[in-house]
Amino acid sequence: MGINNLKKFIIIVFIIIISILSAWSANKNHPTEVSILMPAPFSDSTEGLIEKFNQKELGKIHISVTKGPRETESVSDLAISSLLLGNSPFDIILIDVTWLPKYAEAGWLANMEPWIDLNKWNSLSSGAKLGNEYNNNIYRWPLNADIGLLYWRKDLMKNPPRTPEELINTSIRLKENGDVSYGYVWQGRQYEGLSCVYLEVLNGFGGEWINTNKEVKLSTKEAINASRWMKTLILTGASPKSVTNFTENEALQLFMSGDAALMRNWPYAWAELQKDTSAVKDKVAVTTMVSQREEDRISTLGSWGLSIMQSSPNKDAAYKVIDYLTSDESQKELFLKYGYTPTSSNLYNDKSLLAIAPILEDINKGLSITKPRPQSPLYAQISDVLQSELSSILTGQKSVENAMNIAQFKTDNILSSAGER
């Protein structure tokens, strides 16, 4: 090799080395960006955890969060709009338990099984495991394990009502005695919360929404009796007429002011009720929804979980983020600060945590009997039908039998037209 050729060779090798070092330096200084879409409340409550992660993983992985709307349906609309474009800008989306079948069926979600630690999966409580799988694949890891709870005033009653009749009688008695202005408050507005309430009442009367054979059961005597009982709450004054406009927040504010004896809500309400601004601080306990038979008692599953997008180029980093946000340490912080229901069975046996929050025992019982809403890609449509017909009953626009027969007919048509029957 001549001197000139040797010089050229040395220069080429030098350029290659510089290029490699530059690429290494660029990667070192430009960490893998993991983008998450979250509803506003979750974005706010996880801000501290995400800051800790970004500091710990400085130069390796960086989490950026897109703060979505507060309303569940609006977040779903935003997520779907981005997914329909083909390549979503998000690596992870925090999704409601009812969205999973639709998203998985559309091919938008990555099967997370290759990354999942079976020991961690098996440490989930039985209720928290529900609603994360579709067609035998795991597409979601639960961030919380929300369940419907019945809050009751310890200062007004020795024990909570156990049956539908007891709930009405207790509510009316406490009102007539002048102990409270209102008896039982719940989510009666025409929105998803009404479907959640109805599922608990329906099961409490021995009924089902859609059974395991995909048969719609909304015109059965059990479904009609459940709907009639909800209407009776208003007719007897056990619940105020204004409950037909209540979401979780309206029910919570009324109960927290000390004006109501009983409330149906999610676990997050517990943390709010323990604040110094609460008129019922230290006066509240929780149980599960009333039922005619003990074996029919359930709590509606309402969890949110983290899913990796199939289009994400950063799946390994995305799962590392999910693993961190759902660790026992993160769950403990989210529960103590914001009332998010833990998913790990380890935390329900944590004596130090139980000493601070004895409500965990009741939540754990609720998780053992929790039930998800029907798993279907068409869930949003069938829930809209149910909400509409229930609202027409509660506001006196239709008779119970007529409304539930219509709900049966429309739901049958939706499922049949899509080949789900």
Side-chain angles (χ1 to χ4, degrees):
M1 182 183 292
I3 293 177
N4 289 335
N5 288 335
L6 179 62
K7 287 181 178 178
K8 289 179 181 179
F9 176 75
I10 292 172
I11 291 171
I12 291 171
V13 170
F14 180 75
I15 291 172
I16 291 172
I17 292 173
I18 291 297
S19 298
I20 292 172
L21 290 174
S22 297
W24 177 83
S25 177
N27 289 334
K28 182 179 178 182
N29 295 322
H30 295 87
T32 301
E33 194 77 18
V34 174
S35 176
I36 310 178
L37 172 63
M38 290 184 178
F42 290 95
S43 174
D44 293 339
S45 56
T46 57
E47 186 176 358
L49 287 173
I50 288 171
E51 285 180 2
K52 290 178 188 177
F53 181 92
N54 286 339
Q55 291 173 2
K56 180 182 176 183
E57 298 293 326
L58 189 63
K60 300 175 183 177
I61 300 173
H62 182 271
I63 304 172
S64 61
V65 175
T66 296
K67 185 175 181 177
R70 298 189 68 85
E71 296 78 14
T72 299
E73 291 80 5
S74 298
V75 177
S76 181
D77 291 341
L78 176 60
I80 290 173
S81 296
S82 73
L83 291 164
L84 288 173
L85 294 175
N87 289 323
S88 170
F90 309 112
D91 298 289
I92 298 170
I93 295 180
L94 182 65
I95 67 173
D96 182 79
V97 67
T98 62
W99 303 353
L100 189 139
K102 180 176 182 176
Y103 287 30
E105 190 71 29
W108 293 333
L109 307 181
N111 180 8
M112 295 168 64
E113 289 187 44
W115 294 278
I116 287 175
D117 179 345
L118 284 180
N119 289 327
K120 186 176 179 183
W121 176 256
N122 291 329
S123 74
L124 290 173
S125 69
S126 58
K129 281 185 179 179
L130 298 174
N132 303 301
E133 299 179 63
Y134 187 71
N135 289 340
N136 299 315
N137 292 322
I138 301 174
Y139 290 108
R140 193 185 81 132
W141 192 281
L143 180 66
N144 67 349
D146 261 358
I147 53 172
L149 294 171
L150 180 63
Y151 289 77
W152 59 282
R153 293 274 298 275
K154 295 187 297 182
D155 58 324
L156 299 180
M157 57 194 95
K158 291 182 180 179
N159 297 294
R162 303 298 295 174
T163 67
E165 183 181 17
E166 285 180 10
L167 188 147
I168 287 179
N169 291 340
T170 299
S171 297
I172 293 173
R173 175 175 55 81
L174 292 172
K175 272 186 61 185
E176 290 179 346
N177 290 346
D179 295 315
V180 288
S181 300
Y182 307 98
Y184 172 47
V185 292
W186 41 285
Q187 294 77 56
R189 183 183 293 181
Q190 185 179 328
Y191 80 117
E192 184 57 31
L194 182 56
S195 293
C196 294
V197 171
Y198 183 69
L199 181 63
E200 292 164 354
V201 176
L202 175 61
N203 277 261
F205 276 82
E208 294 179 281
W209 186 344
I210 298 174
N211 66 17
T212 54
N213 295 322
K214 296 187 177 180
E215 297 171 331
V216 182
K217 311 294 284 185
L218 292 176
S219 60
T220 62
K221 66 175 183 180
E222 292 85 3
I224 288 172
N225 288 339
S227 306
R228 182 177 289 115
W229 180 77
M230 291 172 68
K231 175 67 174 177
T232 302
L233 287 169
I234 298 171
L235 292 176
T236 60
S239 295
K241 290 182 180 179
S242 57
V243 79
T244 57
N245 291 314
F246 282 15
T247 65
E248 287 85 357
N249 186 58
E250 287 80 16
L252 175 59
Q253 294 306 315
L254 201 60
F255 189 76
M256 192 162 69
S257 69
D259 289 330
L262 296 152
M263 173 183 69
R264 188 270 179 199
N265 219 314
W266 305 99
Y268 85 95
W270 176 262
E272 296 297 314
L273 295 172
Q274 302 315 306
K275 292 182 177 179
D276 291 335
T277 52
S278 170
V280 294
K281 181 181 179 182
D282 300 325
K283 298 177 182 179
V284 178
V286 298
T287 185
T288 46
M289 186 50 61
V290 295
S291 60
Q292 290 185 321
R293 301 185 308 169
E294 191 64 29
E295 58 265 35
D296 293 327
R297 190 181 303 275
I298 69 147
S299 293
T300 299
L301 179 68
S303 74
W304 287 80
L306 296 156
S307 292
I308 299 174
M309 299 299 97
Q310 184 62 48
S311 60
S312 169
N314 306 311
K315 292 184 179 68
D316 289 343
Y319 187 77
K320 187 171 184 178
V321 169
I322 291 175
D323 193 49
Y324 165 77
L325 290 174
T326 59
S327 67
D328 282 5
E329 294 75 17
S330 296
Q331 289 181 59
K332 194 170 184 177
E333 180 173 330
L334 289 172
F335 173 70
L336 291 174
K337 287 186 177 180
Y338 304 101
Y340 286 10
T341 315
T343 62
S344 171
S345 56
N346 299 329
L347 297 182
Y348 291 98
N349 298 312
D350 187 320
K351 292 182 179 179
S352 63
L353 198 56
L354 284 166
I356 299 170
I359 188 181
L360 280 174
E361 291 185 13
D362 297 293
I363 292 176
N364 199 25
K365 291 176 185 176
L367 281 170
S368 69
I369 58 170
T370 193
K371 184 174 183 177
R373 285 155 281 174
Q375 276 205 312
S376 168
L378 300 168
Y379 176 77
Q381 292 95 308
I382 64 175
S383 181
D384 282 346
V385 166
L386 180 61
Q387 296 163 32
S388 176
E389 297 309 318
L390 287 174
S391 182
S392 73
I393 292 170
L394 299 177
T395 56
Q397 298 175 49
K398 293 178 185 175
S399 69
V400 173
E401 290 81 2
N402 184 33
M404 297 313 294
N405 284 331
I406 292 173
Q408 173 80 28
F409 176 76
K410 289 184 175 179
T411 306
D412 267 327
N413 277 350
I414 291 169
L415 296 180
S416 296
S417 63
E420 285 205 24
R421 296 290 307 278

